[in-house]
Amino acid sequence: MRTRTVPTRSAAALAVLAACAAVLGGGGPSGAAPAAPTAPGDAPRAAALSAPQAVQQAQDQSDTCDVYASVPPSSADGPAVKAIKAKRSLVIGVDQNSYRWGARNPNTGQIEGFDIDLARAIGTAIMGDPEKVVLKPVATADRVDAVKLGRVDLIVRTMTISCDRMKDVAFSKPYFSITQRVVVPRTSPAKTLDEAVDHKNVCVAKGSTAADVFDPAKDGAKKDAGAHLTVVENQLDCLVLMQLGKVDATMTDAGLAAGQAAQDQTVRIVDGDLKPEVIGVAMLKGSPDLTARVNQVLADYHTSGDWGRSYDRWLKPYMVNDAEHFWPVQH
């Protein structure tokens, strides 16, 4: 059976800890946090938030964020999961242009790679039937909108968890550790990241973390690089532009950089990296039961060894500093 593919530390932080403690401390089979007592004359209160909802609310209200924070794993089917099952298909946004992560095999027509293995594992675990899992290609710049507008139920597409993105979508626990790296043609004299981007024409994908590196409004941006940016829809377009000699370098995450270098022997990754980050599965906010379900699948996927087998197959031979990119240490 084949999976169907569609072409194309504040108070808020303490609230997160309290919500998690409610689950670990015996909030009951439903995971609901106990309701706070009300004083006589209080206005009627809404039902107590479940622990996942409390985590979500705390994140929403916080002026800081923890990219490792997510709802506790659960195998229970809540309202969001039941709604997906009722429509008899789980639509997962994926990449079809990133070699070794999510790319269409020209011989079979199937999308394959590390993220695709994970997407299928999540979909099959939730739906119980791989035929009910739909893989839908989504451009880098469209990932957040695809979730918010309901075009997909999940995004499994090398999506970095960031504070800005956490305002718009919910994330699973991280499943991969990365940094930002730079790819250049082998003919480039650049030996380091700074040499590759300073006052050079650098290609980045729209809506990517790489683009944020040069955005002066973003924390930790490389403000003094003097680089000229060429912004494209998908990072594979950067590889084409390098091949044509229209850009000097591409900045992208370490995994995608490794994919480019594996796909085209005329490019290489230079020394140096930026912005240690983590990747997660994105989904609609306000559906904590779906996030909890995905987190359970991720935990099982890693414990079973499937994560490691997929990593060894698709990525290990191509990763720079391989030891840095194993399963993230969950905070």
Side-chain angles (χ1 to χ4, degrees):
M1 289 181 132
R2 296 185 303 179
T3 305
R4 289 187 291 133
T5 303
V6 177
T8 49
R9 289 174 234 151
S10 58
L14 293 176
V16 172
L17 294 175
C20 295
V23 175
L24 298 175
S30 65
T38 58
D42 276 355
R45 295 171 56 95
L49 291 176
S50 68
Q53 289 169 330
V55 172
Q56 188 69 63
Q57 183 183 78
Q59 290 173 355
D60 291 344
Q61 295 173 348
S62 177
D63 57 358
T64 60
C65 80
D66 178 0
V67 297
Y68 288 86
S70 186
V71 302
S74 173
S75 298
D77 288 353
V81 175
K82 289 178 180 177
I84 291 170
K85 289 186 173 182
K87 66 185 178 71
R88 302 185 64 78
S89 68
L90 174 66
V91 183
I92 304 179
V94 297
D95 200 346
Q96 64 174 349
N97 297 307
S98 295
Y99 190 57
R100 315 304 292 185
W101 284 87
R104 197 172 294 279
N105 186 317
N107 297 317
T108 65
Q110 294 294 301
I111 300 177
E112 60 186 23
F114 180 81
D115 269 350
I116 305 305
D117 284 355
L118 177 57
R120 289 186 171 128
I122 293 172
T124 301
I126 292 176
M127 300 302 291
D129 182 352
E131 293 294 330
K132 295 179 180 178
V133 182
V134 178
L135 302 184
K136 183 174 183 177
V138 175
T140 303
D142 293 337
R143 292 175 295 184
V144 169
D145 282 347
V147 172
K148 294 178 69 175
L149 297 176
R151 295 198 292 264
V152 300
D153 299 303
L154 304 172
I155 291 283
V156 183
R157 194 191 183 286
T158 57
M159 192 165 179
T160 301
I161 305 174
S162 71
C163 294
D164 282 347
R165 289 172 178 166
M166 289 172 73
K167 297 173 185 176
D168 292 316
V169 296
F171 279 99
S172 69
K173 289 282 191 178
Y175 66 86
F176 204 84
S177 299
I178 59 165
T179 56
Q180 292 296 309
R181 300 202 66 118
V182 173
V183 182
V184 297
R186 285 198 174 274
T187 55
S188 170
K191 293 182 173 61
T192 67
L193 185 149
D194 286 343
E195 291 176 0
V197 303
D198 286 358
H199 299 91
K200 297 295 195 300
N201 190 339
V202 182
C203 188
V204 297
K206 182 180 178 182
S208 68
T209 306
D212 292 345
V213 170
F214 300 98
D215 184 345
K218 302 292 185 180
D219 291 338
K222 192 173 175 56
K223 302 177 179 66
D224 58 348
H228 171 73
L229 292 190
T230 295
V231 183
V232 298
E233 288 296 310
N234 287 295
Q235 59 91 25
L236 184 63
D237 298 332
C238 290
L239 180 59
V240 174
L241 291 177
M242 279 196 300
Q243 292 168 339
L244 295 174
K246 295 188 175 182
V247 298
D248 300 310
T250 294
M251 181 168 282
T252 188
D253 73 55
L256 296 177
Q260 287 194 9
Q263 186 173 3
D264 185 348
Q265 301 302 306
T266 69
V267 302
R268 61 184 174 85
I269 302 172
V270 299
D271 291 339
D273 56 9
L274 292 170
K275 290 174 69 69
E277 297 161 338
V278 287
I279 292 173
V281 180
M283 63 213 83
L284 196 65
K285 296 185 77 169
S287 302
D289 64 293
L290 177 58
T291 311
R293 191 75 178 85
V294 171
N295 282 336
Q296 185 64 60
V297 179
L298 287 175
D300 295 342
Y301 189 68
H302 181 250
T303 302
S304 69
D306 287 341
W307 186 97
R309 283 185 284 273
S310 184
Y311 177 85
D312 288 348
R313 177 185 180 187
W314 296 109
L315 302 177
K316 185 178 175 65
Y318 307 100
M319 296 298 293
V320 178
N321 296 333
D322 169 72
E324 297 177 4
H325 303 288
F326 282 105
W327 181 261
V329 176
Q330 305 292 349
H331 289 192

